[in-house]
Amino acid sequence: MISERRLAILNLIIEHYLRTGEPMGSKNLCRLLPYSVSSATIRNEMAYLSELGFLEQRHTSGGRVPSKASYRYYIDNLMEESEVSPYDARNIDEQLAVNAGDPERLLSDASKLISRYTQCASFSSILEDDLDCIEGVDLIPAGNSKGMLVLLTVGSKIKSSLINLTCRLDDDFRFLFYEVMQRLFIGTPLTDVNMALIQSSVLIADKRVFDLLPVLISLCSLCNEASHTTLNIEGETKLLSHEELGTDVYKLLSFLADKEQMIKLIKEFSRLGTKSAMFIGDENPLYEMKNTSTIISQFTYGNNQKACLGMIGSVRIDYKRVIPIVKHIFNTVDRLLSKEVKNG
């Protein structure tokens, strides 16, 4: 059991360090505590908190700084979250509502907002689904000998591509295109759209299969893209201003640029079934993130589609302000995705 005075001292040291990045000594604590206590007594209390693993002393004559372990105790027991201002809440809700019907763009917008409001890196990911199928395909005229191919999947993924055509996009060509789509592609799993399926379209299109070929190849490419886990990262360079990361920031940036390990982490988190989590310092499962605080949440929508959204910063961030704003964005995304499901 930690006494009230020790908790007050720990809280003051943590909040001072989060705000300034500087250690705090006993003399400063004497002035800040709401009751009279000697410097010697405070030093004894700080020594006790150090024995518990909550404080560290970087120099013999210097003050104390919080350990990574102390941040977890601070968040769970001491911190009073700030409220998101009505202005910020309204601004976030309005910006996220713009692409509420497109989950991928909604998550991308949310990631940008997280990075902007927290000054940290952020990420969004839509996980692959082997059962996702083609729900609809459209071909829209886009100028001379060009067409815009638009793919919609059962999992609410929208992909598009501009195609150079070898013939006019007239009514006859569009009728043939939709017939091929209806007979061969609509309802087909994304992972089954391949060159073998394209070749079978010759039984329907006959000689005009060569006119259809650019469209079908493009469709195959879009299905391949939609069938894989996507990862979008925002604001990586903002981590350069996080002094607590030191020179390790470059290793972290290389890690994020690779993306494969981050995708692996997201998939593992999704398999846990946990709605939201925060990993601080050594709680992070990957070595490259041991000096970071990571907040992550997963969402389920549509035909059991799964997505993740999160933030990455140093361990010295303004938790009182950052956590509420990230929670608000998570909750808004969750509400909009749930609404999209009901409307669908």
Side-chain angles (χ1 to χ4, degrees), residues 113-121 235 238-239 241-242 312-313 317 321-322:
L113 285 172
I114 288 174
S115 181
R116 184 191 312 167
Y117 276 95
T118 66
Q119 292 302 300
C120 297
K238 292 178 180 177
L239 295 174
S241 65
H242 291 221
I312 303 170
I317 56 175
R321 185 187 64 82
V322 166

Side-chain angles (χ1 to χ4, degrees), residues 81-100:
E81 291 185 7
S82 302
E83 290 187 7
V84 179
S85 72
Y87 173 82
D88 286 338
R90 184 170 59 253
N91 185 53
I92 289 168
D93 293 352
E94 288 176 352
Q95 292 195 53
L96 291 179
V98 172
N99 288 310

Side-chain angles (χ1 to χ4, degrees), residues 90-303:
R90 184 170 59 253
N91 185 53
I92 289 168
D93 293 352
E94 288 176 352
Q95 292 195 53
L96 291 179
V98 172
N99 288 310
D102 184 340
E104 194 165 5
R105 289 183 179 176
L106 169 62
L107 288 158
S108 177
D109 291 345
S111 180
K112 291 174 183 175
L113 285 172
I114 288 174
S115 181
R116 184 191 312 167
Y117 276 95
T118 66
Q119 292 302 300
C120 297
S122 61
F123 59 89
S124 61
S125 176
I126 293 182
L127 278 66
E128 62 192 54
D129 175 15
D130 293 337
L131 300 179
D132 199 6
C133 302
I134 297 176
E135 182 170 310
V137 187
D138 202 358
L139 185 60
I140 305 166
N144 293 332
S145 300
K146 291 183 184 295
M148 178 66 73
L149 182 67
V150 182
L151 165 71
L152 173 65
T153 78
V154 172
S156 300
K157 290 182 179 178
I158 301 173
K159 302 291 180 181
S160 63
S161 178
L162 187 64
I163 307 165
N164 289 316
L165 300 171
T166 59
C167 65
R168 290 178 54 201
L169 188 51
D170 54 21
D171 290 343
D172 289 341
F173 183 80
R174 284 167 62 86
F175 179 82
L176 177 63
F177 166 76
Y178 290 125
E179 184 181 5
V180 171
M181 291 300 105
Q182 194 63 43
R183 291 174 61 178
L184 293 179
F185 291 91
I186 301 301
T188 299
L190 300 178
T191 52
D192 288 349
V193 178
N194 49 37
M195 290 306 298
L197 185 61
I198 288 175
Q199 289 171 2
S200 64
S201 65
V202 70
L203 299 174
I204 303 170
D206 197 17
K207 295 180 181 179
R208 296 214 66 183
V209 71
F210 296 104
D211 293 333
L212 273 176
L213 202 55
V215 181
L216 298 178
I217 291 174
S218 181
L219 177 60
C220 187
S221 177
L222 292 181
C223 288
N224 180 61
E225 181 184 342
S227 68
H228 289 90
T229 294
T230 61
L231 176 62
N232 175 52
I233 299 177
E234 299 284 345
E236 307 100 301
T237 56
K238 292 178 180 177
L239 295 174
L240 293 169
S241 65
H242 291 221
E243 296 177 2
E244 195 72 10
L245 292 172
T247 56
D248 287 342
V249 68
Y250 300 106
K251 295 178 183 176
L252 179 59
L253 290 176
S254 296
F255 164 77
L256 293 176
D258 180 49
K259 290 191 176 182
E260 289 303 318
Q261 287 297 311
M262 195 66 193
I263 288 176
K264 182 179 178 182
L265 173 66
I266 289 169
K267 288 181 178 179
E268 289 177 355
F269 176 76
S270 178
R271 282 193 286 268
L272 292 175
T274 305
K275 177 63 179 172
S276 297
M278 183 171 191
F279 303 105
I280 303 171
D282 294 335
E283 296 172 358
N284 279 284
L286 296 178
Y287 173 78
E288 293 84 352
M289 302 177 74
K290 295 298 183 183
N291 289 324
T292 72
S293 287
T294 307
I295 308 176
I296 185 170
S297 185
Q298 70 167 317
F299 310 88
T300 302
Y301 64 94
N303 189 30

